Amino acid sequence: MATNTIDSNLWLANAVQPERKTGDRILGKDDFLKILLAQLQNQDPLNPLEDKDFIAQMASFSSLEQMMNIADLMQQWMQTSGRDALLRYSEWIGKTVYWQEDDSTMSAVVQSVVQQDGQIVLELNNGTTIAADAVTRVEQKG
């Protein structure tokens, strides 16, 4: 007498779910427009997209485009502001700066200003370097 057995690899409990992969790209305005065009091309001719739905999708597309433009402008502003910081702090060269170290106030004259990893670093006449953010007072050399 033959017995029918089910291979244990076929049991639902042992099934391996396929790994879902998502792209590392973010959908942009071009992708949104492609989706909208595909939707329009493949719509049911007996039940077309209603005007209000189409207008809502176009408004969403317009909003997406404006947000992307704002993001680009913000990126440009951030890059410009980093360069401007170096110029602003260069005015401190030759001036005495004060900062807190432990419980005492330290001071030294700024020799040069350097930008490292997006941060402004002051090189002082005593051979030390400090972050410009640590400065509590700037004084004209007397």
Side-chain angles (χ1 to χ4, degrees), residues 3 5 15 34-35 46 59 72 76 83 87 99 105 108 110 113:
T3 59
T5 58
K34 286 177 186 176
I35 292 170
L46 300 176
D72 289 343
Q76 291 173 5
R83 288 188 299 259
L87 293 174
W99 71 96
T105 301
V110 177
V113 179

Side-chain angles (χ1 to χ4, degrees), residues 42-113:
N42 297 309
Q43 67 182 334
D44 181 5
L46 300 176
N47 188 16
L49 188 65
E50 292 191 26
D51 291 343
K52 64 180 178 179
D53 295 332
F54 183 72
I55 291 170
Q57 287 182 346
M58 289 306 293
S60 296
F61 176 71
S62 178
S63 296
L64 173 65
E65 186 174 20
Q66 289 175 0
M67 283 190 288
M68 292 186 73
N69 291 339
I70 289 171
D72 289 343
L73 288 173
M74 287 294 292
Q75 183 68 28
Q76 291 173 5
W77 179 78
M78 292 295 287
Q79 291 172 348
T80 302
S81 110
R83 288 188 299 259
D84 290 346
L86 185 62
L87 293 174
R88 283 193 312 269
Y89 285 109
S90 68
E91 296 176 5
W92 290 7
I93 295 174
K95 295 183 180 178
T96 304
V97 292
Y98 296 84
W99 71 96
Q100 290 296 121
E101 194 169 291
D102 298 323
D103 289 333
S104 59
T105 301
M106 307 294 289
S107 69
V109 176
V110 177
Q111 294 293 105
S112 65
V113 179

